[in-house]
Amino acid sequence: MSLNPIEEIRRDISADLDRLTDRIAECLSTGNPMLQAIVTANLRNKGKLIRPMTVILAAQLLGEVNEKVIDSAASVELLHNASLIHDDVVDASRTRRGAPTVNAVWDNHIAVLVGDYYVSTSMQLAIRTGNVHIIEAVCDLGRRLSLGELDQIYNARYHTLTEDAYFQIIDFKTASLFKACVRMAAYACKADGPAADVLTRYAELLGQAFQIRDDIFDYFDDTAIGKPTGNDLREGKITLPLLHVLLNDSLPQHEEMRALAAAEELSDADIERLLKYARDNGGIEYAYRRMAEMRDEAVGCLMTFPEHHARQRLMQLFDYIIDRNY
């Protein structure tokens, strides 16, 4: 039985991923029984580790996977997980990756504190590298993640409908994480320079495609995704497939649909109507075309590097991001 691309990558770098998970567990370890129970449960449900994989593969392409690379990968993963814990509180989410969220098992107060604990531990790991550029990258990442969420809230509240605004949000919310992965790997390998700049552009494209694919999930009913269809619209978020058709004034019912999308409250029937409008008028196909364009540019970035197994794995990672089903 053949492995899927992400499993192949995980197997290829399994030794480094083991070092990563051991480092995270070691740094989160605490004498507080309640917190330790929460951390242990969270580590059991650690997800695909795509971001630390990106750090490790970037380091392999630019140099070597040293201790600073592992600390950097752990720092990024912890900051990412902190943002998820806090998001679950804001969104009142009860499950994530098929398991109960921290706020569902405990309460919002504890969940916020656990998220803060993850943020602080992320900073400690960055400081442990002794590299001011890595520390700066983590701090800048935390700032961008917050700004991305605030920009999204602002755009939803004031109905800002432009592709530029959409891409600025996903650059901050998602692409900034992948860009930080590459920059921190480059600093850890002492390989910051033109090659790192090219690889950072690859990471930016990877992050944008990741978010667009995530957004497409919201237009179809699939329990594997773990969130209800139309959840983004319930929160006032208009993502690329619907945005594309709402910006096309040649489509039938254009003004009516724009007015509906700007309504203060949407019923389930309104949401399904908007999702169907996007599906029926080429919104999904447009989103896939944009991801294909990103993939082509990303491959061009990678092809500037000599033949290397990490280069091939990074190509596989991009294809996986687009082709994944959850």
Side-chain angles (χ1 to χ4, degrees):
M1 183 177 177
S2 61
L3 299 174
N4 69 36
I6 204 72
E7 290 170 340
E8 286 185 11
I9 297 169
R10 187 177 287 115
R11 182 184 62 182
D12 193 41
I13 60 173
S14 60
D16 291 324
L17 287 177
D18 287 344
R19 291 165 64 195
L20 168 82
T21 54
D22 289 346
R23 187 69 46 85
I24 289 174
E26 167 203 332
C27 292
L28 288 175
S29 181
T30 170
N32 182 300
M34 179 180 67
L35 180 55
Q36 189 60 47
I38 295 170
V39 166
T40 301
N42 193 259
L43 292 178
R44 278 199 302 267
N45 193 35
K46 58 180 178 284
K48 300 182 190 71
L49 300 175
I50 289 174
R51 290 151 195 86
M53 281 182 185
T54 305
V55 178
I56 291 167
L57 291 172
Q60 288 182 346
L61 195 58
L62 295 171
E64 64 175 0
V65 183
N66 54 39
E67 289 302 305
K68 291 184 180 181
V69 170
I70 298 299
D71 282 338
S72 296
S75 178
V76 168
E77 182 65 6
L78 284 173
L79 189 57
H80 170 57
N81 275 274
S83 72
L84 298 182
I85 292 168
H86 286 157
D87 283 351
D88 289 338
V89 172
V90 172
D91 298 337
S93 300
R94 309 303 292 175
T95 62
R96 179 174 290 278
R97 301 167 186 154
T101 56
V102 177
N103 50 295
V105 175
W106 302 89
D107 59 36
N108 287 346
H109 183 199
I110 290 173
V112 169
L113 292 173
V114 171
D116 292 346
Y117 180 67
Y118 273 55
V119 171
S120 301
T121 307
S122 169
M123 296 301 146
Q124 282 187 325
L125 279 158
I127 291 167
R128 195 156 90 169
T129 67
N131 187 309
V132 68
H133 298 297
I134 291 174
I135 298 166
E136 183 179 21
V138 173
C139 292
D140 183 61
L141 173 58
R143 182 172 177 271
R144 287 176 182 273
L145 292 175
S146 299
L147 283 171
E149 290 293 337
L150 288 166
D151 283 347
Q152 189 165 60
I153 292 168
Y154 177 87
N155 287 352
R157 188 165 293 177
Y158 295 99
H159 310 296
T160 305
L161 293 180
T162 68
E163 278 203 13
D164 285 346
Y166 170 80
F167 276 98
Q168 179 175 312
I169 287 169
I170 69 171
D171 279 343
F172 277 29
K173 275 188 58 180
T174 308
S176 62
L177 265 162
F178 289 94
K179 289 165 67 177
C181 289
V182 169
R183 299 311 308 188
M184 292 169 74
Y187 295 135
C189 293
K190 298 182 179 178
D192 190 39
D197 292 339
V198 172
L199 200 56
T200 300
R201 175 56 181 162
Y202 157 87
E204 181 176 26
L205 294 162
L206 179 69
Q208 290 175 348
F210 187 100
Q211 188 59 57
I212 292 171
R213 184 67 187 99
D214 254 16
D215 291 344
I216 291 172
F217 287 136
D218 203 49
Y219 291 78
F220 300 94
D221 185 18
D222 190 341
T223 55
I225 299 166
K227 68 174 184 177
T229 304
N231 201 51
D232 289 334
L233 271 174
R234 285 184 183 86
E235 297 172 2
K237 303 170 187 174
I238 295 179
T239 54
L240 190 60
L242 180 57
L243 177 63
H244 174 66
V245 299
L246 291 178
L247 292 175
N248 185 351
D249 58 11
S250 67
L251 290 175
Q253 300 178 294
H254 173 258
E255 291 301 325
E256 180 185 352
M257 288 299 180
R258 280 200 65 143
L260 180 60
E264 290 302 315
E265 289 189 22
L266 293 171
S267 67
D268 287 346
D270 292 334
I271 289 170
E272 180 48 42
R273 193 176 173 204
L274 286 165
L275 296 178
K276 188 174 186 301
Y277 188 66
R279 292 193 300 263
D280 291 349
N281 290 283
I284 304 299
E285 290 80 2
Y286 175 74
Y288 271 106
R289 283 200 305 274
R290 293 301 302 267
M291 287 192 293
E293 292 168 2
M294 292 169 183
R295 193 258 183 198
D296 289 344
E297 184 182 345
V299 169
C301 292
L302 292 175
M303 292 306 291
T304 64
F305 292 88
E307 176 62 38
H308 193 285
H309 73 277
R311 187 184 78 175
Q312 180 61 29
R313 293 307 188 196
L314 287 166
M315 288 182 183
Q316 284 182 291
L317 183 60
F318 210 109
D319 288 336
Y320 168 77
I321 291 303
I322 294 175
D323 296 337
R324 67 200 165 101
N325 294 316
Y326 59 93

